Amino acid sequence: MEDTFTAATTWELKQAQSFWPYLGYSDLAHVLNLLENQLIPQEVGESLLKALLVLQDMNPNSVPFSEKWGDLYKNREQLIKERSKEAAQWYGVGRARRELTTVAFHLLIKEKSLALMQARLKFVEVLLEKSHSYKDTPMADYTYLQPAQPSTLGYYLSSFLGPILRNADRAQPCFQRLNLSPAGVGSTNGSTMALNREKLANRLGFEDCVENSRDGVWQSDVALEVAWLLASDSLVLARLSEDFLVWATQEFDYFGFSDEVCRGSVAMPQKKNPYDLTFARGVASLLSGRVSGALCLGRTGTNQIDNRIFLYNELPESLDLVLESYQKLTRVLEGLQVNTQRLKSRGEESSLLAMDLVEELVANKKMSHSQAHSLVGEALRGVGVRDFSKTFSKVFSEKTGQPLNWSAEQWQTVLSSQKSVERRKDRGGASSPSLLKSLSNFKSWSQRLEELSNKQNEDWKNKKKKIVSEAKEALL
């Protein structure tokens, strides 16, 4: 009867090429375990390994997948049957078809997660470099897209290091949950066969097993966690992209971009469109929706396929999109053209110092914040930034009945954007010494993650080689 029902959709086979090598690792490890535990005849196991090694060497793009054969499992079974009909009859021993694809899914997501971590850390490396290079480049910081306070470009750029590194930190426990093996779970409640799940997990490069076999069939919460983490990554990059898109307009004229990250307008020859920035922003919009999709799919009762077949496609693609976003924005940063004169002229406007003046009145005149805020606001509304010291002294005397009596040196301190930034010396502040200390801490944080990531990459690279080499050795 099984040969009669072959229903599958194009959707189920959509990820066939990207799943292919990981399906092979899952198959090879499973057959090796069956042989070692003497659960199938030796000659059958060897025939299976021979066929699977041929499949492993096939270019996924040239594999003749067909809906008439069914899903990925049935397609592989058919390809094995073409090489050994007898071996194909033993292909299903000790597992359900979904175990093959779920194990492959875990391995695929693990490998893409490792690649994404490398892209994150490369972006952090470039961001650290740019933050250091522009640590003394004046600019106006903004709230509600209105000039707010004096700052530096380096300090602004450094504000994205924390969110990215926090996501990198969050990725590690998520990776540990991905790194629990769903192999050997039987169909729902384990297998009567002595499959040795721990050894199977180790062979496949997993840290351990999913403890409960029924839970191991499909873990909706882990898929949702991956989807959320990717959306969080993309949102950080979208915020940076949005700022850059605004600040590169002629109205701001702060930034320019290399030709590599832009495309020309077919209709308007004067335009240079920063495509890579809009790509990253669009990815964030798309992945925000996919989090909701993963959440909705997860409500399906356990041991049914609709909570996973769609995520088989969407999660790997989402990982690719975030990886590409990081790569694109890394290129944007590397080729960033900064109009330092324009940044400086806006960053040194006296109106940006209004809050500093309020704090100076609170600290030195023992004036309430509300009264100080009102006085500074009234003076600014009266004349803006022209002759501000004279105007404010007059407003202060009229409202308080006392002379302000600030020296020229005091006014120079209060109305200097450079000194304003230098006075922000507390931890995490914009002053050059504070920023340098923060950058050093961010760099140490990144280095710790890089060491762990490099080890994880090397371990997985070795495991992939070992699975294939063990299969070949078993045939000697």
Side-chain angles (χ1 to χ4, degrees):
M1 182 176 291
E2 176 64 25
D3 290 337
T4 305
F5 299 109
T6 58
T9 65
T10 302
W11 186 267
E12 280 198 79
L13 295 177
K14 191 176 179 181
Q15 282 292 336
Q17 282 80 17
S18 61
F19 268 54
W20 187 254
Y22 310 97
L23 296 167
Y25 298 134
S26 178
D27 274 342
L28 289 169
H30 182 69
V31 173
L32 284 168
N33 261 34
L34 292 176
L35 278 171
E36 289 177 358
N37 292 296
Q38 299 181 342
L39 297 174
I40 56 175
Q42 184 70 27
E43 63 275 12
V44 168
E46 290 178 359
S47 294
L48 271 172
L49 288 177
K50 287 178 182 177
L52 290 172
L53 286 170
V54 172
L55 267 58
Q56 195 70 9
D57 287 337
M58 293 174 68
N59 184 335
N61 295 319
S62 64
V63 177
F65 298 106
S66 175
E67 288 184 42
K68 72 178 182 180
W69 292 339
D71 59 11
L72 280 172
Y73 176 92
K74 296 299 289 183
N75 269 262
R76 286 181 69 83
E77 184 182 56
Q78 176 64 29
L79 291 169
I80 293 169
K81 188 182 296 184
E82 291 173 2
R83 287 153 180 82
S84 173
K85 289 184 179 180
E86 182 182 3
Q89 295 179 40
W90 294 81
Y91 183 54
V93 171
R95 63 179 180 178
R97 75 172 76 195
R98 289 296 167 188
E99 181 178 314
L100 169 67
T101 45
T102 300
V103 171
F105 174 80
H106 273 251
L107 296 178
L108 173 61
I109 297 299
K110 273 178 55 180
E111 184 160 310
K112 287 183 178 292
S113 296
L114 290 172
L116 177 57
M117 181 63 79
Q118 294 290 312
R120 278 193 197 100
L121 296 177
K122 176 61 179 177
F123 183 77
V124 166
E125 177 188 333
V126 176
L127 196 55
L128 280 166
E129 176 190 329
K130 295 296 181 180
S131 298
H132 189 277
S133 296
Y134 294 113
K135 64 182 175 62
D136 297 316
T137 301
M139 71 171 288
D141 209 342
Y142 289 80
T143 63
Y144 293 87
L145 280 179
Q146 299 180 61
Q149 287 184 301
S151 188
T152 66
L153 177 56
Y155 184 72
Y156 161 78
L157 292 172
S158 73
S159 69
F160 290 91
L161 289 165
I164 293 168
L165 288 170
R166 287 195 298 274
N167 275 336
D169 263 351
R170 293 184 188 103
Q172 287 303 327
C174 179
F175 183 83
Q176 293 306 314
R177 285 181 276 277
L178 279 169
N179 210 18
L180 297 177
S181 172
V185 298
S187 181
T188 59
N189 60 351
S191 173
T192 59
M193 306 182 81
L195 295 174
N196 195 337
R197 288 191 65 210
E198 290 86 358
K199 188 167 185 178
L200 186 53
N202 179 266
R203 176 168 270 141
L204 285 164
F206 289 105
E207 185 69 24
D208 201 353
C209 303
V210 177
E211 185 62 35
N212 182 279
S213 289
R214 192 174 190 276
D215 177 36
V217 172
W218 179 251
Q219 299 164 282
S220 293
D221 58 307
V222 176
L224 177 61
E225 184 178 10
V226 174
W228 182 91
L229 182 62
L230 295 175
S232 182
D233 264 312
S234 67
L235 285 173
V236 177
L237 298 181
R239 286 172 47 225
L240 179 66
S241 297
E242 185 73 18
D243 285 348
F244 277 25
L245 283 164
V246 171
W247 292 347
T249 59
Q250 290 184 7
E251 288 74 14
F252 280 86
D253 192 26
Y254 291 167
F255 297 146
F257 307 112
S258 67
D259 292 347
E260 182 187 13
V261 300
C262 298
R263 61 167 53 165
S265 169
V266 173
M268 295 164 282
Q270 82 280 13
K271 290 191 67 187
K272 182 178 176 180
N273 300 323
Y275 171 82
D276 285 8
L277 294 173
T278 58
F279 175 89
R281 186 177 59 182
V283 167
S285 300
L286 176 65
L287 298 197
S288 295
R290 285 188 174 180
V291 172
S292 298
L295 183 61
C296 292
L297 288 169
R299 64 162 295 281
T300 303
T302 52
N303 301 330
Q304 300 181 60
I305 63 169
D306 52 318
N307 59 9
R308 67 191 81 171
I309 58 173
F310 302 103
L311 293 175
Y312 282 165
N313 296 312
E314 286 197 352
L315 278 188
E317 183 185 70
S318 296
L319 277 155
D320 290 341
L321 288 170
V322 177
L323 174 67
E324 187 173 356
S325 294
Y326 270 114
Q327 291 170 339
K328 286 182 180 299
L329 290 196
T330 298
R331 290 196 297 268
V332 168
L333 279 178
E334 288 174 334
L336 187 65
Q337 300 155 11
V338 179
N339 187 341
T340 55
Q341 286 303 115
R342 179 70 169 164
L343 279 172
K344 183 179 180 181
S345 67
R346 294 304 300 272
E348 292 182 346
E349 291 180 357
S350 298
S351 61
L352 298 175
L353 298 159
M355 182 175 173
D356 290 47
L357 182 53
V358 171
E359 292 179 345
E360 190 73 17
L361 291 171
V362 171
N364 293 326
K365 293 295 182 179
K366 308 307 177 187
M367 185 178 289
S368 73
H369 177 269
S370 178
Q371 186 181 9
H373 190 281
S374 178
L375 285 175
V376 174
E378 184 173 337
L380 283 171
R381 284 192 297 273
V383 296
V385 298
R386 295 171 297 173
D387 300 321
F388 183 73
S389 59
K390 291 181 181 179
T391 303
F392 183 74
S393 296
K394 181 181 177 182
V395 171
F396 182 87
S397 297
E398 290 175 351
K399 296 296 183 181
T400 66
Q402 301 175 7
L404 183 59
N405 289 335
W406 274 359
S407 66
E409 184 179 354
Q410 282 178 292
W411 276 113
Q412 186 179 16
T413 298
V414 172
L415 295 181
S416 167
S417 294
Q418 181 181 351
K419 291 183 182 298
S420 173
V421 173
E422 290 174 356
R423 293 169 67 191
R424 287 162 163 76
K425 298 177 181 179
D426 207 351
R427 181 171 180 177
S431 70
S432 185
S434 295
L435 177 56
L436 287 173
K437 186 172 182 179
S438 290
L439 293 179
S440 176
N441 291 337
F442 284 129
K443 186 174 183 179
S444 297
W445 186 356
S446 177
Q447 287 174 337
R448 289 194 298 271
L449 288 165
E450 186 174 11
E451 289 173 7
L452 177 58
S453 178
N454 288 340
K455 182 181 183 303
Q456 290 169 334
N457 269 294
E458 189 64 24
D459 288 347
W460 174 229
K461 181 180 176 181
N462 291 335
K463 282 293 184 181
K464 288 191 292 184
K465 290 180 180 178
K466 189 174 181 182
I467 294 171
V468 175
S469 65
E470 283 185 345
K472 291 178 178 178
E473 289 169 8
L475 297 176
L476 297 177

